Amino acid sequence: MNADHLENAARRDFLRKSALGGGGLVLGFYLNVADSAAKKVAKPSTISETGAFKPNAFIHIAPNGTVTLISKQPEIGQGIKTSLPMVIAEELEVNWKDVVIVQGDLDPVYGSQNAGGSRSTPTNYEEFHRLGATARTMLIQAAAETWNVPVSELIAHDSAVHHQSTGRKLGYGELVEKASALPVPDPGAVKLKDSKNYKLLGTRIGGVDNPGIVTGKPLFGIDVQLPGMLYAVYEKSPVFGGKVVSANLDKIKSLPGVRNAFIIQGGSDLKGLLPGVAIVADSTWAAFSARKQLEVVWDEGQGASQSWSGFAAKANELSTQPGTDILRNDGDAKTALAAAEKTVEAAYSYPFISHASIEPQNCTAWYKDGAIEIWAPTQNPEAGQKVVTATLGIPKDKVTLHITRSGGGFGRRLIPDYIIEAAAIAQHLTVPVKLTWTREDDLRHDQYRAGGFHFLRGGLDDKGKLVAWHNHFVTFANKVVKDSKPKLELGSGANLSGDEFPGRWVENCLLEQTPLECNIPMGPWRAPRSNVLAWVFHSFIDELAHAAGRDPLEFRLEILGDKGFIPGTGEQGIPYDVNRMKHVLQHVAEQAEWGKKTLPRGQGQGIAFHFSHRGYIAQVAEVTVSRDGKLKVDRVVVSTDIGAQIVNLSGAENQVQGSVVDGLGALTFQELNIEKGRIVQSNFGDYPMLRIADAPTRVDVHFLKTDNPVTGLGEPALPPLAPAVCNAIFAATGKRVRQLPLLRTDLSWS
């Protein structure tokens, strides 16, 4: 076992031994298993053989002054492994060069370890401040007792406690023993720093893994190596949920390097263990090579009759009928539309797309003595543990899960299908096994962003004011069995909330939804639901503004109105701060010089905004479209309101710029076709991703600090990009984009 693996695999041992080995100060949450880390910071136990705090900890200070901080959330490229420890370090008054960050494994002591929904920062921010401040308070108290001086005469900074009047100082390492023996102060009584005194938060800090990434260190799940490890691939039906009838296992077992090949029966849960054939070999190459000779007879089931063209035809048919579900019905939309001075109708559609993370799905598992140990690049380790217990019958306390860094996630790694596949294969072996998906597996067995169809009508009065809105959303759903009864369950991101803008703003508003059954697995894709709804609604609002002869910015501000704070409605209602949205909208217009430029034909500006994942974001896109229809996004201006504090300025800018690029790639190129129940595309050759030449020439990012709670940023900056670009395309060419991706629309003009 090499040193890199020891560093990666022994995190759990570190967490145990760092507190039990003596000579260290460990401070952490002491939580009920069901509690979130956001709910409380409770007193850690000081009872142990050495007098150190218990190992369910986030802070460990060694006698040599090294401060080790535990990062509990999975790192998927969103920078949380750097930014959350920065919060603790700020309050702890520690020099960042003295800090070592260790990725925590799955452990109930940490509370929720899910990385999704841009919740990691808002869930932990306040309590991580208190955690760092509590440790700082205890270190100052320890110094006061050492010098026999009042606490009021001491300050902490630069990893040490200083006595200002005498110039004396004690490094944190020197205070470990005395601080460990002190009672833990009540978290509510601990004084937090004033934000104007922050030295670390709001500055630019490079990702803690950056040196390892650029030098090729084994940080990712796909890098895991264990002694005696074997390598596996797993072949599933090209039609989702198909079952294995037979396979040429004897031939596969006879191939060079192959150790075993067997059928796994699996089940029908599209997010769980599906039927397939496992091949286990001495190397990944041997497993991949053997797979090319695998011949499987499949029972493809009813899904084999499904196609995108069939879905589209059915959606058009359903659009003329009343919706299955009424999500909002304010006023009388149909009467208001009939009486409107002007009406606009449009149909918008978008395809299924893949997450296409650079690191394909993979997982390493080792089953022995009725227990299993797992190494996985996961966004949702709790779900991985749960599915292993439920599917394989391994008790929860016998499932150890190590969280590795992920090479991109975007919501894909919230679904643990690849984890349960590796675990099921490992049950057949006595040695560890690494399952690796190919790029083809990744595209053809993803948990896809759902496609959808929107049929819209809007009504304007004689002053060009929006007075009526009707949307019939035909969406996708899977048939599942709940409480022994079959039902249609909407796909992740395939649902429409009655609160979606402009649902609470238009006096006459009818929102309908009709599910369309499919056999396609669906999962959250960056900014679920918002990533497509923003494009549909803010593109159609632009259509209405131009039909009314109104400036698109003015038209949007009029819709927002002066309602201030709008409460949510219904079971999943989300409050909306109108003033915050108007602020970012007016700010982005000012920064982009909206309406102040005279642009030639073929160039245009487009504006859009959206509220999602607690973030208020507005964007202006500036584009050039050549006569033959080639698009270039010249500049994107982004104004964001995500609360009172930017934690890591470098990380925050990275997330916004990445959202713009990610959103533009999905808008421009990405689509999956479905024929005979299977995905047609197979690799980046027929599923193109955005290239450097297609990226925006410039992205200007502006953060507006407001007196609001800190929120996340991994997702809310993506949704406004698509409508801003499409609205700019219309301004440049007079052509509306109502079908995604852009390559489906001829943008040429004369």
Side-chain angles (χ1 to χ4, degrees), residues 40 126 183 200 203 218 247 274 325 344 346 416 440 455 475 479 508 513 630 635 660 664 689 713 734 741:
K40 63 181 180 180
E126 181 66 26
L200 190 61
T203 65
L274 291 172
D325 303 303
V344 178
E440 289 78 7
F455 301 90
T475 185
K479 182 173 285 186
N508 302 288
Q513 183 171 270
K630 182 172 177 56
R635 181 168 74 138
V660 167
L664 184 59
M689 304 295 286
L713 195 54

Side-chain angles (χ1 to χ4, degrees), residues 294-312:
L294 179 64
E295 297 175 1
V296 185
V297 177
W298 300 101
D299 174 1
E300 295 183 342
Q302 296 180 348
S305 64
Q306 297 177 347
S307 67
W308 178 255
S309 59
F311 291 143

Side-chain angles (χ1 to χ4, degrees), residues 562-585:
D562 298 315
K563 295 186 177 182
F565 188 83
I566 300 181
T569 60
E571 292 183 5
Q572 297 182 337
I574 300 174
Y576 196 110
D577 191 326
V578 172
N579 290 330
R580 292 179 73 180
M581 187 57 80
K582 289 171 67 176
H583 186 201
V584 295
L585 188 54

Side-chain angles (χ1 to χ4, degrees), residues 114-117 119 378-380 383-384 409-416 418 524:
N114 176 300
R119 293 189 297 265
T378 173
Q379 292 179 243
N380 195 353
F410 318 109
R412 172 60 181 94
R413 301 183 201 271
L414 288 166
I415 310 300
Y418 57 99

Side-chain angles (χ1 to χ4, degrees), residues 4-16:
D4 288 323
H5 169 66
L6 284 170
E7 181 180 358
N8 181 54
R11 295 183 183 125
R12 185 173 296 271
D13 286 341
F14 167 80
L15 297 180
R16 291 193 183 105

Side-chain angles (χ1 to χ4, degrees), residues 377-435:
T378 173
Q379 292 179 243
N380 195 353
E382 294 100 330
Q385 184 185 62
K386 182 177 179 180
V387 74
V388 170
T389 294
T391 306
L392 304 181
I394 302 173
K396 184 178 178 179
D397 62 354
K398 298 290 186 182
V399 181
T400 300
L401 198 151
H402 305 286
I403 305 169
T404 70
R405 188 180 175 99
S406 296
F410 318 109
R412 172 60 181 94
R413 301 183 201 271
L414 288 166
I415 310 300
D417 49 344
Y418 57 99
I419 293 177
I420 186 57
E421 289 174 6
I425 294 170
Q427 262 197 329
H428 288 74
L429 309 171
T430 59
V431 296
V433 60
K434 181 197 290 184
L435 170 70

